[in-house]
């Protein structure tokens, strides 16, 4: 869990970091382009300003030039001439107009005597004009107001040959007005200075000094500007301000040594950029939020997926109990904490549960399992656990307070579950029988699987109707388990060394009063020392699958023997061989058996196969096909153990079988149970209608034999007629029978 969270945090911070880096890069690029665009615009503004100022100056000059021509031609006296200038002055941006003669006399529209200051001062201003130069003089202050002015001059000569200069005083504030067109949202402004930094328009005396005065940091920029102006160029400089930056574009005005300076504060660029950046940051923030939200959602979905998976993995779907794996790990903790003898492993088993599945469907089977599972869970006390092992088997860790206590608890649980599973589904006519196996845990370090195996080994088996529901794991069981392992280990060698023998139990033909065929039954000549009956080892090999190999061996041996007898002229009737239900799960089951017949060369009709009823119940489709193939090959099929389980007479009509074998339990009960007798009669008659012969097995007494004979049963197999015997003995029997014919 923590690992996942860490990974999640790492990946989100990496993504966020990358996004932030991208935004910074974007901001930088955006700032650069925005700045260069602003500077381009600044240059544009400057060009416009230059044009406007030049226009104004040119207009003023033109006006004066034309007036000068008029003055030169004028025949009037100077005072009258002066009066002519008055309307001109009023209609233009001039403070005053007038003319000054070379002898220092001045005539002004407002009658100001220009010589009031000093004659030299006056002549300083007007000398260029009197000397015949048309010019724009700067650097002087208004004689009356003291603010900076520009004096436009145009020379003329009077009729008397007197050199004069026409002049117009122009307040520099008008330039300012011209330049005050709003730029950069009112934050841009302009100055006009002379090359040495002196102001023409501006709120300083000398700009260079003023800027340098603002801080030493401005010196390089001022220096750059000075050099640019000296070489008559335009350019940008960047200056520091108390608030931030200023960008200045300087450009020659081509009027005297004037330069127009257009200024824009850095904040304008930043403001521009800031709006966009604010948008970008906002979007980024939203993106990150969205990403985090989505990742969160994905994580949430992922977590719930894992949780679901965990649930499915740790819980049994059918019963809702913990999974067996979970049970094992929890049980281990519980047991090792508690110590010796505190707990017992108790396993529960539902007897013949497969019939519920077979007869009523898996849904009903699952229902029974869930009722049982819930019942076991409810019976648990604090510190106890339960789970389903598989199929119809359950395991529980119960507190152990002595043998009798645990037995009565297990029995109580069983009783409760049995009634509950049955009563919960009225109308279903089946009985739920459960057994329990108990293993008292003495070594807490033992593997839980082993404890479960031992408890399972203590399950009691139903022995002909009587059942002790609760068994304890004890030495006998342990010995049996040891013996089982021994058998399994020795199996291969036993096969190779021919320890498995075929015994033959003759079948007796009731009508013909003679033996007719036999059943092949396996015997294990254990280590060639003792003869072991199949009841001991068949269940072991059925549980581990080795039975398939053994059955094939038995079939091959039987075929060989029958073929040998026939070849030797001994007329043996068909010998039947048992087949375990496990064969049906083998893909090549039928082929293998047909191959054996072909290999041994025995006639197909000389052997037959015995399948138990449960085999017939399972996998009807597969089974039917297999049986048809055997029948086509001429091999007869016998239904074994009929009447031992949930017999279905209906099967007789659908399955291709040749003979029905009544189970020993029916035979045993037949003599003193009239209902069984009635049932047997109807089975026999039904079988006859389908052309199926009937054989009874386990017949031990004359009484049984006689009864069965009257019922019309075709064959009898049992100790009453003959016990299973070795091959040579059976051979002798047949020979004798033939001889007595
Ligand atoms: P099964 O197929 O029902 O065979 C009949 C069993 O009843 C045989 O026991 C036989 O000896 C026994 N029996 C016959 N007549 C009487 C009688 O009058 N009274 C009593 N009490 N028993 C009688 P066996 O040979 O011990 O075989 C036991 C079971 O082992 C067989 O029951 C069969 O299910 C299985 N089995 C035997 N051989 C094989 C085999 O080669 N393959 C497979 N798959 N199972 C086999
Ligand atoms: Ca049999
Ligand atoms: Ca049988």
């Amino acid at each position: 869990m923590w690992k996942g969270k860490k990974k999640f945090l790492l990946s989100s911070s990496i993504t966020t970091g990358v996004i932030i880096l991208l935004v910074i890069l974007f901001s930088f690029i955006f700032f650069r382009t925005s700045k260069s665009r602003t500077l381009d615009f600044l240059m544009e503004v400057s060009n416009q300003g230059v044009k406007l100022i030049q226009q104004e100056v040119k207009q003023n000059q033109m006006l004066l030039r034309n007036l000068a021509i008029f003055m030169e031609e004028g025949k009037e006296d100077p005072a009258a001439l002066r009066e002519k200038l008055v309307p001109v002055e009023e209609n233009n941006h001039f403070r005053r107009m007038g003319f000054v003669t070379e002898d220092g006399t001045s005539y002004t529209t407002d009658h100001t005597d220009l010589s009031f200051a000093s004659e030299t001062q006056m002549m300083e201003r007007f000398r260029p004009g009197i000397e015949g130069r048309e010019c724009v003089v700067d650097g002087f202050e208004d004689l009356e107001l003291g603010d900076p002015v520009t004096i436009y001059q145009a020379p003329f000569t009077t009729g008397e040959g007197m050199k004069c200069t026409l002049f117009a005083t122009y307040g520099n504030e008008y330039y300012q007005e011209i330049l005050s067109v709003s730029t950069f949202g009112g934050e841009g402004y302009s100055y006009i200075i002379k090359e040495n930094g002196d102001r023409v328009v501006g709120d300083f005396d000398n700009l260079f000094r003023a800027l340098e005065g603002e801080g030493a940091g401005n010196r390089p920029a001022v220096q750059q500007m000075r050099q640019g102006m000296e070489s008559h160029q335009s350019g940008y400089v960047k200056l520091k301000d108390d608030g931030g930056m200023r960008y200045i574009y300087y450009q020659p005005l081509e009027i005297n040594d004037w330069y127009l300076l257009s200024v824009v504060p850095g904040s304008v660029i930043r403001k521009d950029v800031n709006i966009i950046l604010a948008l970008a940051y906002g979007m980024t923030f939203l993106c990150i939020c969205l990403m985090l939200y989505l990742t969160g959602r994905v994580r949430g979905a992922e977590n719930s997926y894992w949780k679901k998976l965990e649930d499915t993995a740790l819980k049994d779907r059918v019963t809702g109990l913990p999974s067996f794996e979970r049970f094992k790990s929890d049980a281990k903790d519980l047991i090792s904490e508690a110590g010796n003898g505190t707990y017992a492993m108790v396993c529960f088993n539902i007897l013949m549960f497969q019939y519920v599945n077979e007869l009523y469907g898996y849904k009903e089977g699952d229902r029974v399992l869930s009722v049982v599972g819930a019942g076991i869970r409810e019976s648990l006390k604090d510190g106890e656990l339960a789970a389903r092992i598989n199929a119809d088997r359950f395991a529980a860790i119960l507190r152990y307070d002595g043998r009798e206590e645990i037995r009565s608890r297990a029995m109580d649980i069983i009783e409760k579950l049995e009634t509950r599973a049955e009563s919960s589904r009225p109308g279903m006519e089946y009985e739920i029988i459960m057994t329990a196996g108990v293993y008292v845990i003495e070594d807490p370090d033992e593997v839980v699987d082993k404890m479960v195996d031992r408890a399972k080994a203590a399950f009691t088996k139903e022995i002909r109707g009587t059942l002790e529901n609760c068994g304890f794991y004890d030495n006998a069981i342990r010995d049996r388990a040891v013996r089982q392992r021994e058998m399994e280990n020795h199996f291969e060698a036993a096969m190779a060394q021919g320890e498995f023998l075929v015994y033959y139990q003759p079948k007796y033909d009731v009508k013909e009063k003679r033996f007719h065929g036999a059943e092949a039954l396996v015997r294990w000549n254990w280590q060639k020392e003792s003869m072991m009956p199949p009841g001991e080892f068949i269940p072991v090999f059925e549980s581990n699958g080795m039975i398939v190999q053994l059955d094939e061996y038995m079939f091959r041996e039987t075929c060989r023997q029958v073929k040998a007898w026939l070849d030797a002229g001994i007329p043996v009737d068909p010998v039947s061989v048992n087949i375990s239900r496990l064969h049906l799960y083998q893909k090549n089951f039928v082929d293998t058996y047909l191959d054996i017949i072909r290999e041994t060369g025995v006639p197909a009709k000389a052997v037959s196969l015995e399948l138990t009823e449960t085999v017939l119940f399972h996998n009807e489709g597969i089974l039917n096909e297999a049986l048809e193939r055997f029948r086509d090959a001429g091999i007869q099929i016998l239904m074994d153990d009929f009447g031992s389980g949930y017999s279905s007479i209906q099967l007789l009509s659908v399955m291709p079988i040749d003979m029905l074998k009544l189970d020993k339990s029916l035979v045993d009960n037949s003599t003193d149970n009239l209902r069984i007798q009635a049932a047997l009669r109807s089975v026999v008659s039904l079988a006859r209608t389908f052309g199926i012969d009937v054989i009874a097995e386990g017949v031990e007494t004359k009484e049984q034999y006689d009864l069965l004979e009257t019922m019309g049963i075709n064959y009898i197999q049992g100790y009453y007629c003959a016990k299973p015997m070795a091959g040579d003995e059976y051979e002798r029997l047949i020979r004798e029978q033939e001889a007595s014919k």
Side-chain angles (χ1 to χ4, degrees), residues 51 154 188 209 244 283 305 371 388 475 485 495 544 685 687:
K51 242 180 236 159
R209 276 203 301 279
M283 299 273 286
Y305 168 75
V371 171
R388 183 163 73 119
N475 290 345
R485 210 159 317 123
M495 287 279 273
N544 64 16
S685 93

Side-chain angles (χ1 to χ4, degrees), residues 610 640-641 661 663 697:
E610 291 197 11
D640 204 355
D641 299 343
K661 192 185 258 192
D663 190 64
E697 73 175 333

Side-chain angles (χ1 to χ4, degrees), residues 61 85 113 154 184 325 361 410 507 515 540 546 549 701 705:
Q61 281 181 317
L85 292 176
D113 182 4
F184 298 106
E325 290 306 314
K507 298 170 180 174
F515 288 109
V540 175
M546 288 172 174
Q549 218 181 321
T701 64
Y705 180 92

Side-chain angles (χ1 to χ4, degrees), residues 14 34 60 262 274 298 357 495 569 575 589 641 664:
I14 287 176
S34 172
N60 292 341
S262 304
N274 284 348
V298 169
N357 276 339
M495 287 279 273
V575 177
F589 160 53
D641 299 343
K664 185 176 187 300

Side-chain angles (χ1 to χ4, degrees), residues 568-620:
I570 303 160
V572 283
D573 291 305
V575 177
S576 60
V577 185
N578 290 287
I579 285 185
S580 159
R581 77 181 77 133
L582 290 179
H583 285 277
L584 285 182
Y585 301 106
Q586 303 297 116
K587 226 166 61 205
N588 301 322
F589 160 53
V590 178
D591 291 328
T592 311
Y593 274 68
L594 294 181
D595 282 350
I596 291 172
I597 288 186
R598 217 168 299 129
E599 281 164 27
T600 53
V602 73
K605 64 176 186 344
V607 285
S608 62
L609 299 174
E610 291 197 11
L611 285 91
T612 58
E613 206 187 1
T614 43
V615 169
L616 294 171
F617 258 120
H618 269 296
N619 310 313
E620 236 172 76

